[in-house]
Amino acid sequence: MDTKMIEVLIKQLEQSSLHELELTLGEDSLHLVKASPVAPAAPAASPANTVPATPVNPAPAAKPEEPAGTAIKAPLVGIVYLAPKPGADPYVKVGDHVKKGQVVCIIESMKMMNEIKSTVTGTLKAVEVDNESLVEYDQPLFTVEE
């Protein structure tokens, strides 16, 4: 696939009602996902229609709790596999002790399977991704408490 063809496909996806497009031509494969639309900003009220507002002190928004520990992050973009093959036990589970250099998952990128190894030694506290999901560069995959 050449870049002009990819650019045309991106423009067509943006203008269509589709959310996702996957295309395979011979050995070339392309997977496009449309970004979520951003809600437009509310129009500003004209000064003539403005009513003084009483100050409101909203309760602080609850932050989702992040597990304490060190993140093992994705070194590349691709599809993550938490087990060596379909139906097999995962490489690691929450509560397992992992060692630095131990394989914790595989990321498939450009039809290459890349073993992802732990960067720390400790106890696995959280699995941050779903099996067979798309991961971005530097996205946390696991949380390990050293």
Side-chain angles (χ1 to χ4, degrees):
M1 271 184 252
D2 64 5
T3 54
K4 290 200 185 277
M5 179 182 194
I6 294 171
E7 289 172 358
V8 168
L9 289 171
I10 290 171
K11 286 179 185 175
Q12 288 180 347
L13 178 63
E14 288 174 345
Q15 296 171 354
S16 75
S17 62
L18 294 175
H19 175 69
E20 192 170 339
L21 173 70
E22 188 164 340
L23 177 67
T24 303
L25 297 171
E27 297 216 3
D28 295 330
S29 179
L30 178 68
H31 186 201
L32 301 173
V33 178
K34 191 185 294 186
S36 298
V38 176
S46 66
N49 297 336
T50 306
V51 176
T54 55
V56 177
N57 295 331
K63 268 188 168 178
E65 268 191 49
E66 294 181 14
T70 304
I72 299 173
K73 296 181 177 184
L76 67 160
V77 175
I79 305 296
V80 67
Y81 297 99
L82 301 176
K85 61 183 178 181
D89 289 335
Y91 285 103
V92 291
K93 299 183 290 286
V94 173
D96 286 355
H97 181 76
V98 295
K99 295 179 181 173
K100 185 175 183 176
Q102 176 182 344
V103 176
V104 291
C105 65
I106 294 174
I107 295 181
E108 178 184 6
S109 180
M110 298 177 65
K111 297 188 181 188
M112 297 288 297
M113 297 296 186
N114 302 280
E115 289 184 337
I116 307 305
K117 297 178 180 177
S118 177
T119 54
V120 294
T121 298
T123 303
L124 187 71
K125 290 296 178 188
V127 178
E128 306 291 346
V129 294
D130 293 324
N131 190 43
E132 298 183 13
S133 63
L134 177 66
V135 295
E136 298 294 328
Y137 172 76
D138 215 27
Q139 177 180 345
L141 302 172
F142 303 93
T143 301
V144 177
E145 189 175 84
E146 297 182 66

